[in-house]
Amino acid sequence: MKNTTGFNRQITQRWRPATQAVRAGTWRSDFGETSEAIFMTSGFAYDSAEEVAGRFEGVRPGFTYTRQGNPTVAMFEERMAILEGADIARATATGMAAMTAALLCALKAGDHVVASRALFGSCRWLMDTLLPRYGIATTTVDGRDLDAWRAAIRPETRMCFLETPANPTLDVVDIAGVSALAKAAGAFVVVDNVFATPLLQRPLELGADIVAYSATKHIDGQGRAMGGVICCSQQFHDEHLFPFLRHTGGALSPFNAWVLLKGLETLELRLHRMCDNADAVVAALAGRAPGLRFPGLPDFPQYALAKAQMARGGTIFCFDLGSRDRAFAFLNALELVDISNNIGDSRSLATHPETTTHKAVPPELRAGLGITPGLIRVSIGLEDPQDLTEDLDRALRAAGA
Ligand SMILES: *Cc1c(COP(=O)(O)O)cnc(C)c1O
């Protein structure tokens, strides 16, 4: 492998995000291929016994086994680390593998975790069901309320976990505010940055310690591959994350890493077009879709905070049709937008969170999160915004709105 500029931090850190997303982390083999090679291999062979012993000891560079590292996966990890401004990134098989590893790698029985209550449904399950099962206490708070975070943090609090904007109601959490409280208590802050992507929100610069992604969403962005990634400091990686990942084994497939590298190549282009489209569709539906919520709308309740910590409003909005029947009538009347529970795809997608992504959340908790029977979440893609507006407007009329 030729250690080309893609791995030269002095050069790649200087580049702007669009350049980093195309170029950072590119290694070339002796063939000089332009597009990254796919190393579909589980293991590696060595020139000598001394060589492999040195690699296992960590005194010689090189790969030993794909569960612990692979050239194609390493290219994706380096590109993500550079884009995020982190020391290091580690890829996982899915976004949930990333969230689980980011939490469990540094927790033990007797620790305490504070999390915002508006989380992706499976992250709620980690908080409410999995962590308590292992003797890790959890407290969930209204993430919008800094006083609630302050009141919940205890001496044994080891981590604060938050998602912002949150799925599906788009609640915004003050990353700098929570990070300052956590730092004073000696707790790590983990941010699920899926909705914003590294291009719209920079949690590490706001004081967070760990940023985790589902790469399945905007990073692939074309509905093809699952993946996850965790970005953090070298110290957190060496002490906590790497031992956990190498021994528990939620590794990303080299093929999927390659798909995700191709996704990153166009991320900046796609994301800004999708944001432009979301801005246009939301402007057309304002006053038309009841209870429309979008962080980029001036009447969004947390508009000032969203504007302060996000570069743009994002690609996702939601509204409330008042009942499940009307929500279903809306979805069933769509001609262009797909009924699908994914987000961040080049195809626009709409879903009914109550019966899909947040079905596992107990009904009484759902109501507190604003996940009402009439709530619809829309993820805007790359189609012409006029076609999208016409489709959504027609479906709203079919639903009696
Ligand atoms: C999708 C998603 C996840 C989980 O990612 P998978 O790749 O589906 O495992 C976690 N958090 C958020 C906010 C998500 O949207």
Side-chain angles (χ1 to χ4, degrees), residues 92-99 119-123 161 163-167 192-195 212-218 225-228 316 341-343 357 377:
T92 54
T94 66
M96 281 318 301
M99 303 304 159
L119 295 177
F120 185 70
S122 295
C123 294
F161 183 86
E163 176 184 325
T164 180
N167 187 14
D192 177 341
N193 203 32
V194 167
F195 270 43
Y213 290 98
S214 165
T216 317
K217 311 298 167 56
H218 302 81
M226 305 288 298
I316 295 150
N341 44 283
N342 202 359
I343 57 157
T357 52
R377 183 193 73 193

PDB file of all heavy atoms in Angstrom, residues 92-99 119-123 161 163-167 192-195 212-218 225-228 316 341-343 357 377, ligand 1:
ATOM      1  N   THR A  92     -18.380   0.294  12.415  1.00  0.00           N
ATOM      2  CA  THR A  92     -19.133  -0.855  12.925  1.00  0.00           C
ATOM      3  C   THR A  92     -20.147  -1.310  11.871  1.00  0.00           C
ATOM      4  O   THR A  92     -20.400  -0.599  10.893  1.00  0.00           O
ATOM      5  CB  THR A  92     -19.885  -0.490  14.214  1.00  0.00           C
ATOM      6  OG1 THR A  92     -20.689   0.666  13.949  1.00  0.00           O
ATOM      7  CG2 THR A  92     -18.937  -0.170  15.361  1.00  0.00           C
ATOM      8  N   ALA A  93     -20.730  -2.476  12.121  1.00  0.00           N
ATOM      9  CA  ALA A  93     -21.620  -3.091  11.133  1.00  0.00           C
ATOM     10  C   ALA A  93     -22.907  -2.300  10.917  1.00  0.00           C
ATOM     11  O   ALA A  93     -23.473  -2.315   9.826  1.00  0.00           O
ATOM     12  CB  ALA A  93     -21.956  -4.519  11.573  1.00  0.00           C
ATOM     13  N   THR A  94     -23.401  -1.625  11.952  1.00  0.00           N
ATOM     14  CA  THR A  94     -24.625  -0.823  11.845  1.00  0.00           C
ATOM     15  C   THR A  94     -24.479   0.392  12.759  1.00  0.00           C
ATOM     16  O   THR A  94     -23.562   0.453  13.590  1.00  0.00           O
ATOM     17  CB  THR A  94     -25.872  -1.602  12.319  1.00  0.00           C
ATOM     18  OG1 THR A  94     -25.757  -1.847  13.732  1.00  0.00           O
ATOM     19  CG2 THR A  94     -26.045  -2.935  11.599  1.00  0.00           C
ATOM     20  N   GLY A  95     -25.423   1.293  12.649  1.00  0.00           N
ATOM     21  CA  GLY A  95     -25.446   2.436  13.560  1.00  0.00           C
ATOM     22  C   GLY A  95     -25.690   1.994  14.994  1.00  0.00           C
ATOM     23  O   GLY A  95     -25.079   2.525  15.927  1.00  0.00           O
ATOM     24  N   MET A  96     -26.570   1.020  15.192  1.00  0.00           N
ATOM     25  CA  MET A  96     -26.834   0.575  16.560  1.00  0.00           C
ATOM     26  C   MET A  96     -25.621  -0.112  17.175  1.00  0.00           C
ATOM     27  O   MET A  96     -25.393  -0.012  18.381  1.00  0.00           O
ATOM     28  CB  MET A  96     -28.071  -0.331  16.632  1.00  0.00           C
ATOM     29  CG  MET A  96     -29.399   0.429  16.614  1.00  0.00           C
ATOM     30  SD  MET A  96     -29.451   1.944  17.639  1.00  0.00           S
ATOM     31  CE  MET A  96     -29.094   1.307  19.265  1.00  0.00           C
ATOM     32  N   ALA A  97     -24.819  -0.798  16.359  1.00  0.00           N
ATOM     33  CA  ALA A  97     -23.572  -1.374  16.889  1.00  0.00           C
ATOM     34  C   ALA A  97     -22.657  -0.247  17.358  1.00  0.00           C
ATOM     35  O   ALA A  97     -21.963  -0.375  18.382  1.00  0.00           O
ATOM     36  CB  ALA A  97     -22.878  -2.223  15.825  1.00  0.00           C
ATOM     37  N   ALA A  98     -22.666   0.884  16.648  1.00  0.00           N
ATOM     38  CA  ALA A  98     -21.840   2.034  17.048  1.00  0.00           C
ATOM     39  C   ALA A  98     -22.344   2.630  18.363  1.00  0.00           C
ATOM     40  O   ALA A  98     -21.548   2.920  19.268  1.00  0.00           O
ATOM     41  CB  ALA A  98     -21.838   3.094  15.941  1.00  0.00           C
ATOM     42  N   MET A  99     -23.663   2.827  18.469  1.00  0.00           N
ATOM     43  CA  MET A  99     -24.219   3.426  19.692  1.00  0.00           C
ATOM     44  C   MET A  99     -23.948   2.509  20.898  1.00  0.00           C
ATOM     45  O   MET A  99     -23.549   2.977  21.971  1.00  0.00           O
ATOM     46  CB  MET A  99     -25.737   3.640  19.567  1.00  0.00           C
ATOM     47  CG  MET A  99     -26.180   4.489  18.386  1.00  0.00           C
ATOM     48  SD  MET A  99     -25.419   6.120  18.352  1.00  0.00           S
ATOM     49  CE  MET A  99     -25.618   6.543  16.611  1.00  0.00           C
ATOM     50  N   LEU A 119     -34.981   9.950  21.852  1.00  0.00           N
ATOM     51  CA  LEU A 119     -33.904   9.199  21.188  1.00  0.00           C
ATOM     52  C   LEU A 119     -34.511   8.280  20.149  1.00  0.00           C
ATOM     53  O   LEU A 119     -35.686   7.916  20.237  1.00  0.00           O
ATOM     54  CB  LEU A 119     -33.151   8.327  22.195  1.00  0.00           C
ATOM     55  CG  LEU A 119     -32.345   8.979  23.305  1.00  0.00           C
ATOM     56  CD1 LEU A 119     -31.761   7.897  24.211  1.00  0.00           C
ATOM     57  CD2 LEU A 119     -31.234   9.857  22.745  1.00  0.00           C
ATOM     58  N   PHE A 120     -33.686   7.883  19.200  1.00  0.00           N
ATOM     59  CA  PHE A 120     -34.030   6.796  18.274  1.00  0.00           C
ATOM     60  C   PHE A 120     -34.547   5.614  19.107  1.00  0.00           C
ATOM     61  O   PHE A 120     -34.019   5.341  20.195  1.00  0.00           O
ATOM     62  CB  PHE A 120     -32.758   6.420  17.517  1.00  0.00           C
ATOM     63  CG  PHE A 120     -32.931   5.399  16.451  1.00  0.00           C
ATOM     64  CD1 PHE A 120     -33.610   5.706  15.280  1.00  0.00           C
ATOM     65  CD2 PHE A 120     -32.395   4.123  16.592  1.00  0.00           C
ATOM     66  CE1 PHE A 120     -33.753   4.757  14.282  1.00  0.00           C
ATOM     67  CE2 PHE A 120     -32.529   3.175  15.593  1.00  0.00           C
ATOM     68  CZ  PHE A 120     -33.214   3.500  14.437  1.00  0.00           C
ATOM     69  N   GLY A 121     -35.593   4.938  18.629  1.00  0.00           N
ATOM     70  CA  GLY A 121     -36.261   3.916  19.435  1.00  0.00           C
ATOM     71  C   GLY A 121     -35.317   2.881  20.033  1.00  0.00           C
ATOM     72  O   GLY A 121     -35.432   2.529  21.211  1.00  0.00           O
ATOM     73  N   SER A 122     -34.345   2.382  19.261  1.00  0.00           N
ATOM     74  CA  SER A 122     -33.430   1.361  19.780  1.00  0.00           C
ATOM     75  C   SER A 122     -32.487   1.947  20.830  1.00  0.00           C
ATOM     76  O   SER A 122     -32.064   1.232  21.751  1.00  0.00           O
ATOM     77  CB  SER A 122     -32.627   0.728  18.642  1.00  0.00           C
ATOM     78  OG  SER A 122     -33.502   0.027  17.780  1.00  0.00           O
ATOM     79  N   CYS A 123     -32.139   3.218  20.705  1.00  0.00           N
ATOM     80  CA  CYS A 123     -31.297   3.857  21.744  1.00  0.00           C
ATOM     81  C   CYS A 123     -32.096   3.973  23.036  1.00  0.00           C
ATOM     82  O   CYS A 123     -31.535   3.825  24.132  1.00  0.00           O
ATOM     83  CB  CYS A 123     -30.799   5.218  21.270  1.00  0.00           C
ATOM     84  SG  CYS A 123     -29.662   5.111  19.869  1.00  0.00           S
ATOM     85  N   PHE A 161     -25.634  10.892  27.177  1.00  0.00           N
ATOM     86  CA  PHE A 161     -25.897  10.479  25.793  1.00  0.00           C
ATOM     87  C   PHE A 161     -27.026  11.333  25.241  1.00  0.00           C
ATOM     88  O   PHE A 161     -28.069  11.474  25.890  1.00  0.00           O
ATOM     89  CB  PHE A 161     -26.292   8.993  25.780  1.00  0.00           C
ATOM     90  CG  PHE A 161     -26.518   8.443  24.397  1.00  0.00           C
ATOM     91  CD1 PHE A 161     -25.464   7.955  23.641  1.00  0.00           C
ATOM     92  CD2 PHE A 161     -27.788   8.409  23.840  1.00  0.00           C
ATOM     93  CE1 PHE A 161     -25.659   7.446  22.363  1.00  0.00           C
ATOM     94  CE2 PHE A 161     -27.996   7.895  22.554  1.00  0.00           C
ATOM     95  CZ  PHE A 161     -26.924   7.409  21.824  1.00  0.00           C
ATOM     96  N   GLU A 163     -29.086  12.912  21.441  1.00  0.00           N
ATOM     97  CA  GLU A 163     -29.289  12.921  19.992  1.00  0.00           C
ATOM     98  C   GLU A 163     -29.882  14.287  19.665  1.00  0.00           C
ATOM     99  O   GLU A 163     -30.842  14.703  20.304  1.00  0.00           O
ATOM    100  CB  GLU A 163     -30.283  11.799  19.664  1.00  0.00           C
ATOM    101  CG  GLU A 163     -30.699  11.709  18.223  1.00  0.00           C
ATOM    102  CD  GLU A 163     -31.770  10.626  18.042  1.00  0.00           C
ATOM    103  OE1 GLU A 163     -31.737   9.593  18.727  1.00  0.00           O
ATOM    104  OE2 GLU A 163     -32.660  10.847  17.217  1.00  0.00           O
ATOM    105  N   THR A 164     -29.291  15.002  18.707  1.00  0.00           N
ATOM    106  CA  THR A 164     -29.820  16.321  18.352  1.00  0.00           C
ATOM    107  C   THR A 164     -29.504  16.660  16.907  1.00  0.00           C
ATOM    108  O   THR A 164     -28.367  16.473  16.502  1.00  0.00           O
ATOM    109  CB  THR A 164     -29.282  17.414  19.306  1.00  0.00           C
ATOM    110  OG1 THR A 164     -29.848  18.674  18.908  1.00  0.00           O
ATOM    111  CG2 THR A 164     -27.761  17.548  19.306  1.00  0.00           C
ATOM    112  N   PRO A 165     -30.498  17.090  16.122  1.00  0.00           N
ATOM    113  CA  PRO A 165     -31.922  17.068  16.437  1.00  0.00           C
ATOM    114  C   PRO A 165     -32.378  15.628  16.649  1.00  0.00           C
ATOM    115  O   PRO A 165     -31.818  14.701  16.068  1.00  0.00           O
ATOM    116  CB  PRO A 165     -32.594  17.663  15.202  1.00  0.00           C
ATOM    117  CG  PRO A 165     -31.501  18.352  14.441  1.00  0.00           C
ATOM    118  CD  PRO A 165     -30.243  17.654  14.769  1.00  0.00           C
ATOM    119  N   ALA A 166     -33.415  15.462  17.466  1.00  0.00           N
ATOM    120  CA  ALA A 166     -33.830  14.117  17.854  1.00  0.00           C
ATOM    121  C   ALA A 166     -34.910  13.578  16.924  1.00  0.00           C
ATOM    122  O   ALA A 166     -35.751  14.306  16.411  1.00  0.00           O
ATOM    123  CB  ALA A 166     -34.324  14.126  19.293  1.00  0.00           C
ATOM    124  N   ASN A 167     -34.866  12.297  16.788  1.00  0.00           N
ATOM    125  CA  ASN A 167     -35.785  11.525  15.967  1.00  0.00           C
ATOM    126  C   ASN A 167     -37.033  11.193  16.798  1.00  0.00           C
ATOM    127  O   ASN A 167     -36.861  10.593  17.861  1.00  0.00           O
ATOM    128  CB  ASN A 167     -35.042  10.238  15.572  1.00  0.00           C
ATOM    129  CG  ASN A 167     -35.785   9.391  14.593  1.00  0.00           C
ATOM    130  OD1 ASN A 167     -36.732   9.820  13.980  1.00  0.00           O
ATOM    131  ND2 ASN A 167     -35.347   8.155  14.459  1.00  0.00           N
ATOM    132  N   ASP A 192     -25.194  11.319  19.326  1.00  0.00           N
ATOM    133  CA  ASP A 192     -25.704  10.663  18.124  1.00  0.00           C
ATOM    134  C   ASP A 192     -25.992  11.791  17.129  1.00  0.00           C
ATOM    135  O   ASP A 192     -26.964  12.526  17.285  1.00  0.00           O
ATOM    136  CB  ASP A 192     -26.973   9.865  18.485  1.00  0.00           C
ATOM    137  CG  ASP A 192     -27.636   9.205  17.279  1.00  0.00           C
ATOM    138  OD1 ASP A 192     -27.366   9.629  16.137  1.00  0.00           O
ATOM    139  OD2 ASP A 192     -28.441   8.278  17.488  1.00  0.00           O
ATOM    140  N   ASN A 193     -25.101  11.936  16.127  1.00  0.00           N
ATOM    141  CA  ASN A 193     -25.150  13.093  15.215  1.00  0.00           C
ATOM    142  C   ASN A 193     -25.754  12.725  13.863  1.00  0.00           C
ATOM    143  O   ASN A 193     -25.459  13.358  12.851  1.00  0.00           O
ATOM    144  CB  ASN A 193     -23.714  13.626  15.027  1.00  0.00           C
ATOM    145  CG  ASN A 193     -23.653  15.077  14.607  1.00  0.00           C
ATOM    146  OD1 ASN A 193     -24.508  15.885  14.982  1.00  0.00           O
ATOM    147  ND2 ASN A 193     -22.646  15.431  13.824  1.00  0.00           N
ATOM    148  N   VAL A 194     -26.593  11.699  13.844  1.00  0.00           N
ATOM    149  CA  VAL A 194     -27.098  11.161  12.583  1.00  0.00           C
ATOM    150  C   VAL A 194     -27.898  12.205  11.791  1.00  0.00           C
ATOM    151  O   VAL A 194     -27.704  12.361  10.590  1.00  0.00           O
ATOM    152  CB  VAL A 194     -27.963   9.913  12.843  1.00  0.00           C
ATOM    153  CG1 VAL A 194     -28.748   9.512  11.607  1.00  0.00           C
ATOM    154  CG2 VAL A 194     -27.079   8.746  13.273  1.00  0.00           C
ATOM    155  N   PHE A 195     -28.795  12.926  12.470  1.00  0.00           N
ATOM    156  CA  PHE A 195     -29.666  13.838  11.726  1.00  0.00           C
ATOM    157  C   PHE A 195     -28.885  14.995  11.103  1.00  0.00           C
ATOM    158  O   PHE A 195     -29.269  15.507  10.065  1.00  0.00           O
ATOM    159  CB  PHE A 195     -30.782  14.384  12.637  1.00  0.00           C
ATOM    160  CG  PHE A 195     -32.024  13.529  12.627  1.00  0.00           C
ATOM    161  CD1 PHE A 195     -31.935  12.142  12.688  1.00  0.00           C
ATOM    162  CD2 PHE A 195     -33.286  14.103  12.559  1.00  0.00           C
ATOM    163  CE1 PHE A 195     -33.063  11.349  12.672  1.00  0.00           C
ATOM    164  CE2 PHE A 195     -34.437  13.313  12.542  1.00  0.00           C
ATOM    165  CZ  PHE A 195     -34.331  11.939  12.600  1.00  0.00           C
ATOM    166  N   ALA A 212     -21.153   9.561  17.401  1.00  0.00           N
ATOM    167  CA  ALA A 212     -21.477   8.274  16.787  1.00  0.00           C
ATOM    168  C   ALA A 212     -22.516   8.465  15.687  1.00  0.00           C
ATOM    169  O   ALA A 212     -23.379   9.341  15.773  1.00  0.00           O
ATOM    170  CB  ALA A 212     -22.001   7.305  17.849  1.00  0.00           C
ATOM    171  N   TYR A 213     -22.385   7.641  14.647  1.00  0.00           N
ATOM    172  CA  TYR A 213     -23.264   7.735  13.482  1.00  0.00           C
ATOM    173  C   TYR A 213     -23.836   6.389  13.085  1.00  0.00           C
ATOM    174  O   TYR A 213     -23.152   5.366  13.184  1.00  0.00           O
ATOM    175  CB  TYR A 213     -22.487   8.222  12.242  1.00  0.00           C
ATOM    176  CG  TYR A 213     -22.069   9.650  12.315  1.00  0.00           C
ATOM    177  CD1 TYR A 213     -20.784   9.986  12.718  1.00  0.00           C
ATOM    178  CD2 TYR A 213     -22.960  10.662  12.003  1.00  0.00           C
ATOM    179  CE1 TYR A 213     -20.396  11.309  12.811  1.00  0.00           C
ATOM    180  CE2 TYR A 213     -22.577  11.989  12.091  1.00  0.00           C
ATOM    181  CZ  TYR A 213     -21.303  12.304  12.495  1.00  0.00           C
ATOM    182  OH  TYR A 213     -20.921  13.608  12.587  1.00  0.00           O
ATOM    183  N   SER A 214     -25.036   6.445  12.548  1.00  0.00           N
ATOM    184  CA  SER A 214     -25.495   5.420  11.636  1.00  0.00           C
ATOM    185  C   SER A 214     -25.050   5.893  10.262  1.00  0.00           C
ATOM    186  O   SER A 214     -25.551   6.897   9.754  1.00  0.00           O
ATOM    187  CB  SER A 214     -27.021   5.311  11.677  1.00  0.00           C
ATOM    188  OG  SER A 214     -27.446   4.578  10.545  1.00  0.00           O
ATOM    189  N   ALA A 215     -24.101   5.177   9.634  1.00  0.00           N
ATOM    190  CA  ALA A 215     -23.654   5.534   8.285  1.00  0.00           C
ATOM    191  C   ALA A 215     -24.661   5.082   7.232  1.00  0.00           C
ATOM    192  O   ALA A 215     -24.556   5.429   6.058  1.00  0.00           O
ATOM    193  CB  ALA A 215     -22.281   4.926   8.013  1.00  0.00           C
ATOM    194  N   THR A 216     -25.637   4.291   7.689  1.00  0.00           N
ATOM    195  CA  THR A 216     -26.740   3.832   6.836  1.00  0.00           C
ATOM    196  C   THR A 216     -27.522   5.020   6.279  1.00  0.00           C
ATOM    197  O   THR A 216     -28.152   4.905   5.229  1.00  0.00           O
ATOM    198  CB  THR A 216     -27.705   2.983   7.694  1.00  0.00           C
ATOM    199  OG1 THR A 216     -26.942   2.107   8.528  1.00  0.00           O
ATOM    200  CG2 THR A 216     -28.652   2.186   6.846  1.00  0.00           C
ATOM    201  N   LYS A 217     -27.511   6.132   6.989  1.00  0.00           N
ATOM    202  CA  LYS A 217     -28.363   7.281   6.637  1.00  0.00           C
ATOM    203  C   LYS A 217     -27.657   8.152   5.595  1.00  0.00           C
ATOM    204  O   LYS A 217     -27.303   7.647   4.562  1.00  0.00           O
ATOM    205  CB  LYS A 217     -28.741   8.033   7.904  1.00  0.00           C
ATOM    206  CG  LYS A 217     -29.271   7.119   9.029  1.00  0.00           C
ATOM    207  CD  LYS A 217     -30.556   6.373   8.636  1.00  0.00           C
ATOM    208  CE  LYS A 217     -30.920   5.246   9.588  1.00  0.00           C
ATOM    209  NZ  LYS A 217     -31.064   5.623  10.989  1.00  0.00           N
ATOM    210  N   HIS A 218     -27.399   9.440   5.888  1.00  0.00           N
ATOM    211  CA  HIS A 218     -26.885  10.330   4.832  1.00  0.00           C
ATOM    212  C   HIS A 218     -25.528   9.881   4.275  1.00  0.00           C
ATOM    213  O   HIS A 218     -25.188  10.211   3.149  1.00  0.00           O
ATOM    214  CB  HIS A 218     -26.732  11.754   5.354  1.00  0.00           C
ATOM    215  CG  HIS A 218     -27.999  12.344   5.880  1.00  0.00           C
ATOM    216  ND1 HIS A 218     -28.489  12.072   7.147  1.00  0.00           N
ATOM    217  CD2 HIS A 218     -28.882  13.201   5.335  1.00  0.00           C
ATOM    218  CE1 HIS A 218     -29.603  12.733   7.344  1.00  0.00           C
ATOM    219  NE2 HIS A 218     -29.877  13.435   6.263  1.00  0.00           N
ATOM    220  N   ALA A 225     -26.480   0.266   1.938  1.00  0.00           N
ATOM    221  CA  ALA A 225     -25.646  -0.490   2.887  1.00  0.00           C
ATOM    222  C   ALA A 225     -25.855  -0.007   4.310  1.00  0.00           C
ATOM    223  O   ALA A 225     -26.100   1.173   4.544  1.00  0.00           O
ATOM    224  CB  ALA A 225     -24.166  -0.327   2.518  1.00  0.00           C
ATOM    225  N   MET A 226     -25.720  -0.934   5.255  1.00  0.00           N
ATOM    226  CA  MET A 226     -25.732  -0.600   6.678  1.00  0.00           C
ATOM    227  C   MET A 226     -24.300  -0.303   7.131  1.00  0.00           C
ATOM    228  O   MET A 226     -23.347  -0.883   6.612  1.00  0.00           O
ATOM    229  CB  MET A 226     -26.230  -1.778   7.524  1.00  0.00           C
ATOM    230  CG  MET A 226     -27.570  -2.363   7.172  1.00  0.00           C
ATOM    231  SD  MET A 226     -28.968  -1.327   7.585  1.00  0.00           S
ATOM    232  CE  MET A 226     -28.820  -1.193   9.367  1.00  0.00           C
ATOM    233  N   GLY A 227     -24.183   0.550   8.124  1.00  0.00           N
ATOM    234  CA  GLY A 227     -22.866   0.806   8.699  1.00  0.00           C
ATOM    235  C   GLY A 227     -22.981   1.789   9.847  1.00  0.00           C
ATOM    236  O   GLY A 227     -24.011   2.457  10.014  1.00  0.00           O
ATOM    237  N   GLY A 228     -21.935   1.842  10.653  1.00  0.00           N
ATOM    238  CA  GLY A 228     -21.892   2.800  11.753  1.00  0.00           C
ATOM    239  C   GLY A 228     -20.464   3.252  11.958  1.00  0.00           C
ATOM    240  O   GLY A 228     -19.522   2.637  11.438  1.00  0.00           O
ATOM    241  N   ILE A 316     -34.884  16.804   7.394  1.00  0.00           N
ATOM    242  CA  ILE A 316     -36.020  16.072   7.966  1.00  0.00           C
ATOM    243  C   ILE A 316     -36.979  17.038   8.665  1.00  0.00           C
ATOM    244  O   ILE A 316     -36.537  17.951   9.369  1.00  0.00           O
ATOM    245  CB  ILE A 316     -35.493  14.999   8.951  1.00  0.00           C
ATOM    246  CG1 ILE A 316     -34.689  13.954   8.166  1.00  0.00           C
ATOM    247  CG2 ILE A 316     -36.641  14.322   9.716  1.00  0.00           C
ATOM    248  CD1 ILE A 316     -33.589  13.316   8.949  1.00  0.00           C
ATOM    249  N   ASN A 341     -39.340   3.761   6.629  1.00  0.00           N
ATOM    250  CA  ASN A 341     -38.893   4.245   7.933  1.00  0.00           C
ATOM    251  C   ASN A 341     -37.431   4.663   7.942  1.00  0.00           C
ATOM    252  O   ASN A 341     -36.903   5.008   8.982  1.00  0.00           O
ATOM    253  CB  ASN A 341     -39.135   3.164   8.992  1.00  0.00           C
ATOM    254  CG  ASN A 341     -38.718   1.808   8.497  1.00  0.00           C
ATOM    255  OD1 ASN A 341     -39.443   1.204   7.698  1.00  0.00           O
ATOM    256  ND2 ASN A 341     -37.558   1.341   8.904  1.00  0.00           N
ATOM    257  N   ASN A 342     -36.756   4.657   6.779  1.00  0.00           N
ATOM    258  CA  ASN A 342     -35.368   5.110   6.718  1.00  0.00           C
ATOM    259  C   ASN A 342     -35.338   6.634   6.611  1.00  0.00           C
ATOM    260  O   ASN A 342     -36.370   7.279   6.431  1.00  0.00           O
ATOM    261  CB  ASN A 342     -34.675   4.466   5.514  1.00  0.00           C
ATOM    262  CG  ASN A 342     -33.160   4.429   5.656  1.00  0.00           C
ATOM    263  OD1 ASN A 342     -32.594   4.894   6.642  1.00  0.00           O
ATOM    264  ND2 ASN A 342     -32.502   3.879   4.664  1.00  0.00           N
ATOM    265  N   ILE A 343     -34.130   7.210   6.749  1.00  0.00           N
ATOM    266  CA  ILE A 343     -33.946   8.654   6.537  1.00  0.00           C
ATOM    267  C   ILE A 343     -32.634   8.870   5.791  1.00  0.00           C
ATOM    268  O   ILE A 343     -31.816   7.973   5.666  1.00  0.00           O
ATOM    269  CB  ILE A 343     -33.872   9.446   7.867  1.00  0.00           C
ATOM    270  CG1 ILE A 343     -32.740   8.901   8.742  1.00  0.00           C
ATOM    271  CG2 ILE A 343     -35.195   9.464   8.595  1.00  0.00           C
ATOM    272  CD1 ILE A 343     -32.215   9.889   9.758  1.00  0.00           C
ATOM    273  N   THR A 357     -40.841   3.253  13.797  1.00  0.00           N
ATOM    274  CA  THR A 357     -39.548   3.462  14.471  1.00  0.00           C
ATOM    275  C   THR A 357     -39.673   3.526  15.990  1.00  0.00           C
ATOM    276  O   THR A 357     -38.731   3.185  16.696  1.00  0.00           O
ATOM    277  CB  THR A 357     -38.902   4.780  13.999  1.00  0.00           C
ATOM    278  OG1 THR A 357     -39.859   5.835  14.152  1.00  0.00           O
ATOM    279  CG2 THR A 357     -38.485   4.698  12.549  1.00  0.00           C
ATOM    280  N   ARG A 377     -43.275  11.816   9.886  1.00  0.00           N
ATOM    281  CA  ARG A 377     -41.909  12.318   9.688  1.00  0.00           C
ATOM    282  C   ARG A 377     -41.546  12.190   8.208  1.00  0.00           C
ATOM    283  O   ARG A 377     -41.798  11.136   7.608  1.00  0.00           O
ATOM    284  CB  ARG A 377     -40.931  11.491  10.529  1.00  0.00           C
ATOM    285  CG  ARG A 377     -39.484  11.972  10.446  1.00  0.00           C
ATOM    286  CD  ARG A 377     -38.524  10.947  11.019  1.00  0.00           C
ATOM    287  NE  ARG A 377     -38.374   9.807  10.131  1.00  0.00           N
ATOM    288  CZ  ARG A 377     -37.799   8.649  10.468  1.00  0.00           C
ATOM    289  NH1 ARG A 377     -37.344   8.482  11.688  1.00  0.00           N
ATOM    290  NH2 ARG A 377     -37.694   7.660   9.595  1.00  0.00           N
TER     291      ARG A 377
HETATM  292  C1  LIG B   1     -30.984   4.924  12.111  1.00  0.00           C
HETATM  293  C2  LIG B   1     -30.524   5.541  13.356  1.00  0.00           C
HETATM  294  C3  LIG B   1     -29.777   4.806  14.283  1.00  0.00           C
HETATM  295  C4  LIG B   1     -29.445   3.343  14.087  1.00  0.00           C
HETATM  296  O1  LIG B   1     -28.697   3.089  12.941  1.00  0.00           O
HETATM  297  P1  LIG B   1     -28.758   1.689  12.124  1.00  0.00           P
HETATM  298  O2  LIG B   1     -27.733   1.874  11.054  1.00  0.00           O
HETATM  299  O3  LIG B   1     -30.158   1.555  11.622  1.00  0.00           O
HETATM  300  O4  LIG B   1     -28.413   0.603  13.084  1.00  0.00           O
HETATM  301  C5  LIG B   1     -29.382   5.458  15.436  1.00  0.00           C
HETATM  302  N1  LIG B   1     -29.690   6.743  15.670  1.00  0.00           N
HETATM  303  C6  LIG B   1     -30.407   7.472  14.794  1.00  0.00           C
HETATM  304  C7  LIG B   1     -30.728   8.889  15.112  1.00  0.00           C
HETATM  305  C8  LIG B   1     -30.859   6.904  13.613  1.00  0.00           C
HETATM  306  O5  LIG B   1     -31.583   7.629  12.752  1.00  0.00           O
END
